[in-house]
Amino acid sequence: MFSRLPTVTKALLVGNVVLFLLQQLFPEGTFDPFMLWPISEHGFDPFSPGQNFQPWQLLTYGFLHGSFGHLFFNMFALFMFGAPLEQTWGEKRFLTYYLVTVAGAGLCQLLVAALVGGGAPVLGASGGVFGLLLAFGMLFPNQRVMLLFPPIPMKARTFVIVFGAIELLMGFTGWQPGVAHFAHLGGMLFGWLLIRYWRGQPPFNSPRPPGGPRPNHLRRVK
């Protein structure tokens, strides 16, 4: 089954697992420069990449995990939603989408941290995974998916709405501390914006020539 996975999905799974194993092997703090740290009032120091924000962290944090359970559920979702999306979009577009949602989730987390305060670093692929969930719901809205806990089948579109609403509720109420809910929502937001951009839909649509064919860059994503 693993050998049949598309190339980028497989590489992301392997990369995340390998880095998690390295996290267990190396001393605590080794990977601190690659977690996503809040931006301090003094900005960032490019010559002191320790426990402070660095630009590369907007991508690297998405390949680190805090526990086996954290890794397992993110990789399960990547396996479940990543493969059909890559098969639909192709390798380049799928990888672009995934990295944009990871970085977008990180930007949203930094913004929220700057507004409400908080010095805890963030790590995990959840921002990208929620971006994949959003894309799956947009491309395959009527596809049946199954919740793990509880095992309830529902349409992908409903699945996305339910999870988005839960994350929004958790983010504003603080009922589940220690989880970057706004990063999850940020991954969904940037995924939605990127798909709208690819489709030439508002707020990115450009005028269509009267009676003319739809320009190539406005053709809908399949």
Side-chain angles (χ1 to χ4, degrees):
M1 180 182 296
F2 182 78
S3 62
R4 296 180 181 178
L5 287 174
T7 304
V8 176
T9 301
K10 187 189 302 182
L12 290 173
L13 289 169
V14 171
N16 277 274
V17 171
V18 168
L19 280 170
F20 180 74
L21 294 176
L22 291 176
Q23 285 180 262
Q24 311 314 303
L25 293 174
F26 283 85
E28 185 177 355
T30 300
F31 290 89
D32 282 0
F34 303 101
M35 300 178 185
L36 182 64
W37 292 84
I39 300 176
S40 71
E41 59 182 8
H42 305 294
F44 69 94
D45 181 358
F47 301 103
S48 179
Q51 296 184 352
N52 54 73
F53 172 73
Q54 303 294 329
W56 62 73
Q57 295 169 1
L58 287 169
L59 290 178
T60 57
Y61 85 97
F63 294 86
L64 303 173
H65 290 84
S67 67
F68 176 77
H70 189 201
L71 174 74
F72 174 80
F73 283 106
N74 277 340
M75 294 305 98
F76 179 79
L78 176 57
F79 166 81
M80 183 175 179
F81 301 115
L85 288 172
E86 183 177 352
Q87 290 167 347
T88 301
W89 279 334
E91 297 175 4
K92 183 177 180 180
R93 178 160 288 196
F94 173 72
L95 180 60
T96 298
Y97 179 87
Y98 184 79
L99 296 180
V100 165
T101 55
V102 168
L107 287 173
C108 288
Q109 178 61 27
L110 291 177
L111 176 61
V112 171
L115 292 175
V116 304
V122 173
L123 71 168
S126 301
V129 164
F130 271 80
L132 296 181
L133 170 62
L134 184 282
F136 191 87
M138 291 182 70
L139 270 65
F140 312 105
N142 297 314
Q143 180 74 37
R144 290 279 179 175
V145 295
M146 180 78 74
L147 285 173
L148 289 179
F149 305 108
I152 301 175
M154 62 180 67
K155 289 184 178 181
R157 178 190 292 137
T158 306
F159 190 77
V160 170
I161 294 172
V162 168
F163 263 80
I166 290 174
E167 288 300 311
L168 192 62
L169 178 65
M170 293 292 188
F172 278 107
T173 62
W175 285 350
Q176 192 180 18
V179 178
H181 297 290
F182 287 102
H184 300 170
L185 292 169
M188 299 178 82
L189 172 63
F190 273 76
W192 180 78
L193 288 172
L194 184 55
I195 291 175
R196 301 281 292 186
Y197 172 74
W198 283 339
R199 289 178 171 178
Q201 295 175 328
F204 304 105
N205 60 324
S206 57
R208 183 178 176 183
R214 179 182 292 270
N216 290 335
H217 70 284
L218 297 186
R219 291 176 182 168
R220 293 182 179 275
V221 178
K222 294 183 179 179

